Amino acid sequence: MKELRLMKGNEAISEAAIRDGCDGYFGYPITPQSEILEYLMAERPYEKTGMIVLQAESEVASINMVYGGAACGKKVFTSSSSPGISLMQEGLSYMAGAELPAVIVNVVRGGPGLGTIQPSQADYFQSVKGGGHGDYKLITLAPASVQEMYDFVGLGFEIAFRYRNPVLILSDGAIGQMMEKVYLTEQKTRLTNEEIREKYPWATLGKVPGKHRNIITSLELESAKQEKVNIRIQAKYREVEKNEVRYEEILTEDAEYIFVAYGTSSRICQKSIELGRAKGMKIGLFRPITLYPFPSERINELAGKCKGMLSVEMSAGQMVEDVKLAVEGKTKVAHFGRLGGIIPSPVEVINAIEEKLMGGK
Amino acid sequence: MANITDEDIRKPENLVYSRTKVLTENIMSYCPGCGHGTAHRIIAEVIEEMGIQDKTVGIAPVGCSVLAYNFFDLDMQQAPHGRAPAVGTAVKRLLPDHFVFTYQGDGDLAAIGTAETIHACNRGENITMIFINNGIYGMTGGQMAPTTLPGMKSSTSPYGRDVATMGNPLKITELLAQLPGTIYVARHAVHTPAAVRKAKKAVRKAFENQKLNKGTSFVEIVSNCNSGWKMTPNQSNKWMVDHMFPYYPMGEIKDTVGKE
Ligand SMILES: Cc1ncc(C[n+]2csc(CCOP(=O)(O)OP(=O)(O)O)c2C)c(N)n1
Ligand code: SF4
């Protein structure tokens, strides 16, 4: 029998990290994700698995602690909400440049500025377009349930280490705070330093006598060499785009109109579909699970078969740009969103698709 | 001894000075006459003498010493500007049996990275922090640093540092000595053989302290930046003694080890 527990999304992140054999967490409090640090501090994993937990002096410090830990080949992560993630951008860019694996959780709140502590999806651009400087990508997973908050921690580490690149779990205040049942996994053991040396020969664990030293850096002053580094990193992203696209479809086979939505919005859309189908509307949902790599190919296929797509986001219209690019003009694309921390109601969403794509009621 | 030949001199048993094994053969990128190279050397010698090359991880900053990882024959990480203490914190927490040191300039440690510096020391991270204070931003071409002296000219204080508008030089080392987390705080220089010997002793102590797991050890090295100061190496060393030393006096500032 699998272990089942009722948990908040934020708590699920922490429990998943402990059980996945994570080595360390570094974070700074911010609503609506402080439970991640609080849960870890209360659980004291350092006594059970040896995982360390540290409250940093800022998100700038947190991400640089993650940099240091990841550079040792350790499984480390941090979490924050929007303003804190903005502060981490330099560090994330360095990590992508130095090719370091880690998991970063953003439990998004409404912005800009200090904004609101209520849920939002307005950090999409920052997440998938490279919020920091330089040509790089964050592999971005968008959970839509507490179970996915749990599952994506392990998955995130797996992908991060496979490609040596940070993975972002892009959640929001609703998923972070809501409680659902979660199937838990078995406790994994943490890797020893010897195992890390074996698996990740690039890790800085001390120079082995007679062997080449390991250097973790994103600096290359010679342009010709730096360009080669860039080309190699880009090639890696092409691999990510080939192998890691994930999505879910609900009732898209016969759908004339399709919602494209992730995270909390996708949950609202599921309810909208029930309401709409009851009225005889042929509507379905396409839910990107990876926002980068974006499931453009599948969206393009679906676009050829439907009359229109509505990108439903708790933002002024960010993902809709990627939907339009994917659709290549094959069908009508519109956006519906609520801002400032407001979650749209299922009825609002139905009204929006009728008004924007079906020519009114 | 009168008829000693060149061949005799080259015999291994007559070797009195050589490159330490903890430095690579890469040619250093520092300007001739700069103190960075000497500071590197004493750190490398200490690591060699302690026999901890395989258990040491060094953190390079952003600044002239950004390429320190090319010169130390060690596993090294290059940290974002000012963040070496945060990076070093995680490395040491995750590798408690290793020796971890950060190496930072004054802009890195005492301006952009002030928060990380103070908090790492305040938590008493069991690491060694080496602070090269040359009173200027060397790498970016001689701009004013938090440690630039009153009246001192730099490319961003071309008429001299006006303390009324630009603030006073920050004695961050004295500030850090106030924190219970630091167990050893010292200030030295590397401009003469005698100074090098003293500085090396301090660096050795700062590394040995990691075995005690009691807190942070911090060694400031007041150094020259002949290029940034627009002087010859000799002039810069003299200027350093005459002007920097009165403001940043040499010596042991705090040593709690063995005193409780
Ligand atoms: C975030 C960021 N801001 C600014 C810089 C530019 N920068 C590089 S080195 C440096 C100052 C270095 O001075 P210092 O730390 O005193 O070291 P020195 O070069 O004198 O040894 C600055 C401002 C940077 N690389 N990153
Ligand atoms: S610019 Fe100054 S600090 Fe940098 S290497 Fe030259 S002399 Fe040294």
Side-chain angles (χ1 to χ4, degrees):
Chain A
M1 254 287 282
K2 267 187 160 179
E3 200 181 332
L4 191 63
R5 215 185 275 177
L6 185 67
M7 301 185 95
K8 269 192 179 191
N10 288 335
E11 295 167 349
I13 292 275
S14 305
E15 186 62 33
I18 297 171
R19 290 183 182 235
D20 198 52
C22 175
D23 296 299
Y25 170 87
F26 309 90
Y28 187 82
I30 181 170
T31 309
Q33 64 79 54
S34 297
E35 293 87 355
I36 296 176
L37 173 59
E38 288 167 352
Y39 186 94
L40 287 170
M41 285 294 189
E43 282 298 306
R44 295 194 285 203
Y46 34 90
E47 288 175 4
K48 293 174 214 153
T49 69
M51 172 185 174
I52 62 156
V53 186
L54 182 63
Q55 178 168 338
E57 61 270 34
S58 70
E59 292 85 350
V60 175
S62 308
I63 194 65
N64 284 288
M65 289 170 180
V66 166
Y67 180 102
C72 298
K74 301 280 178 176
K75 246 173 155 173
V76 288
F77 85 112
T78 186
S79 64
S80 187
S81 179
S82 312
I85 298 288
S86 292
L87 278 180
M88 293 184 189
Q89 294 303 323
E90 184 202 31
L92 289 170
S93 167
Y94 267 71
M95 291 187 71
E99 299 187 76
L100 293 177
V103 169
I104 291 89
V105 183
N106 184 0
V107 184
V108 182
R109 54 191 256 174
L114 196 51
T116 161
I117 58 172
Q118 301 303 326
S120 162
Q121 295 182 314
D123 294 358
Y124 177 90
F125 280 152
Q126 185 195 54
S127 311
V128 305
K129 304 292 178 190
H133 58 286
D135 273 326
Y136 78 95
K137 292 283 189 186
L138 289 182
I139 301 162
T140 305
L141 300 171
S145 64
V146 176
Q147 183 70 55
E148 283 189 343
M149 287 286 259
Y150 185 94
D151 294 341
F152 288 1
V153 172
L155 177 66
F157 276 122
E158 214 181 288
I159 298 176
F161 276 89
R162 192 178 307 147
Y163 298 98
R164 284 185 66 183
N165 197 78
V167 168
L168 180 77
I169 297 180
L170 187 69
S171 173
D172 65 61
I175 296 168
Q177 293 296 326
M178 72 188 184
M179 291 186 95
E180 288 182 322
K181 61 177 196 287
V182 185
Y183 285 101
L184 304 179
T185 47
E186 300 275 297
Q187 177 67 53
K188 282 197 209 166
T189 46
R190 292 172 48 238
L191 295 183
T192 63
N193 287 349
E194 288 62 41
E195 288 168 331
I196 292 174
R197 277 190 201 280
E198 189 76 13
K199 280 184 91 156
Y200 314 123
W202 47 264
T204 53
L205 292 166
K207 184 192 140 122
V208 178
K211 279 208 182 157
H212 196 279
R213 68 193 190 286
N214 283 334
I215 296 168
I216 298 295
T217 181
S218 59
L219 176 73
E220 182 44 73
L221 290 166
E222 270 180 58
S223 295
K225 285 190 187 165
Q226 180 63 60
E227 189 183 42
K228 286 209 174 94
V229 172
N230 277 295
I231 289 170
R232 188 167 47 72
I233 291 177
Q234 288 302 317
K236 205 166 72 171
Y237 293 144
R238 299 299 86 78
E239 281 299 301
V240 171
E241 287 156 15
K242 219 165 62 196
N243 305 330
E244 303 302 336
V245 172
R246 287 169 171 79
Y247 55 83
E248 186 193 10
E249 291 180 34
I250 297 175
L251 299 176
T252 50
E253 311 86 61
D254 66 336
E256 291 177 348
Y257 294 92
I258 296 176
F259 296 121
V260 185
Y262 68 95
T264 294
S265 295
S266 70
R267 297 287 291 266
I268 306 299
C269 288
Q270 280 184 43
K271 190 73 198 166
S272 306
I273 292 170
E274 275 176 37
L275 298 177
R277 289 255 169 191
K279 290 205 290 183
M281 295 163 72
K282 284 198 168 167
I283 48 181
L285 168 68
F286 182 85
R287 174 170 81 95
I289 293 174
T290 48
L291 298 178
Y292 174 78
F294 195 66
S296 305
E297 235 170 83
R298 183 59 187 152
I299 289 179
N300 186 279
E301 278 171 22
L302 290 173
K305 296 194 258 180
C306 72
K307 294 183 184 163
M309 289 183 166
L310 184 70
S311 181
V312 181
E313 310 166 56
M314 284 138 61
S315 79
Q318 301 191 11
M319 183 178 67
V320 64
E321 292 190 4
D322 287 335
V323 177
K324 281 184 180 162
L325 282 172
V327 162
E328 291 179 314
K330 285 188 185 168
T331 192
K332 273 198 286 182
V333 176
H335 162 261
F336 174 69
R338 292 297 304 265
L339 314 176
I342 292 188
I343 303 175
S345 75
V347 175
E348 258 181 291
V349 173
I350 286 287
N351 292 343
I353 201 166
E354 285 182 322
E355 183 196 317
K356 290 175 186 251
L357 292 176
M358 303 175 173
K361 285 192 195 187
Chain B
M1 289 299 279
N3 44 14
I4 187 166
T5 64
D6 282 1
E7 225 148 272
D8 288 331
I9 291 171
R10 288 197 201 100
K11 280 182 183 157
E13 59 267 33
N14 290 330
L15 185 72
V16 288
Y17 192 79
S18 68
R19 183 178 55 79
T20 132
K21 284 195 221 64
V22 179
L23 288 180
T24 64
E25 287 181 38
N26 293 333
I27 294 165
M28 285 191 180
S29 46
Y30 304 112
C31 306
C34 172
H36 270 304
T38 318
H40 280 26
R41 181 175 172 108
I42 57 178
I43 294 167
E45 284 179 356
V46 163
I47 291 168
E48 183 178 14
E49 287 160 21
M50 288 174 69
I52 56 171
Q53 183 178 18
D54 59 333
K55 295 191 82 184
T56 301
V57 179
I59 318 292
V62 173
C64 279
S65 46
V66 65
L67 290 169
Y69 58 74
N70 280 344
F71 314 132
F72 287 105
D73 192 16
L74 296 170
D75 273 9
M76 297 278 296
Q77 304 181 10
Q78 193 280 312
H81 196 19
R83 316 305 171 201
V87 172
T89 292
V91 175
K92 184 72 185 197
R93 296 258 182 154
L94 290 159
L95 304 174
D97 299 332
H98 283 57
F99 291 79
V100 176
F101 76 95
T102 58
Y103 185 101
Q104 300 174 264
D106 40 61
D108 197 83
L109 181 139
I112 194 166
T114 310
E116 285 76 12
T117 301
I118 288 181
H119 285 280
C121 289
N122 195 50
R123 286 189 302 264
E125 296 299 340
N126 184 24
I127 59 175
T128 300
M129 295 177 69
I130 308 292
F131 169 38
I132 307 296
N133 175 8
N134 56 17
I136 206 157
Y137 286 9
M139 172 159 223
T140 38
Q143 294 84 7
M144 184 175 67
T147 47
T148 298
L149 296 179
M152 184 174 165
K153 286 183 179 160
S154 73
S155 68
T156 52
S157 57
Y159 308 106
R161 182 177 191 151
D162 170 15
V163 297
T165 57
M166 298 166 176
N168 278 287
L170 179 58
K171 292 191 184 185
I172 195 154
T173 303
E174 276 80 356
L175 204 147
L176 297 173
Q178 301 298 311
L179 305 174
T182 52
I183 53 170
Y184 178 61
V185 180
R187 183 184 284 124
H188 288 278
V190 291
H191 62 307
T192 64
V196 168
R197 272 194 291 276
K198 281 190 204 159
K200 186 175 165 185
K201 249 177 95 178
V203 169
R204 172 82 188 232
K205 189 169 175 116
F207 272 85
E208 292 283 351
N209 281 351
Q210 289 194 42
K211 293 178 183 164
L212 307 173
N213 194 16
K214 285 193 171 156
T216 312
S217 297
F218 187 95
V219 180
E220 172 179 338
I221 295 176
V222 178
S223 188
N224 61 342
C225 174
N226 38 290
S227 293
W229 298 354
K230 305 203 186 321
M231 295 176 193
T232 65
N234 277 339
Q235 283 169 341
S236 72
N237 277 336
K238 184 168 182 338
W239 194 89
M240 179 175 78
V241 174
D242 293 346
H243 298 89
M244 297 279 280
F245 285 13
Y247 205 90
Y248 302 110
M250 298 293 109
E252 311 288 287
I253 297 167
K254 178 183 188 179
D255 186 1
T256 61
V257 178
K259 283 192 183 151
E260 61 237 46

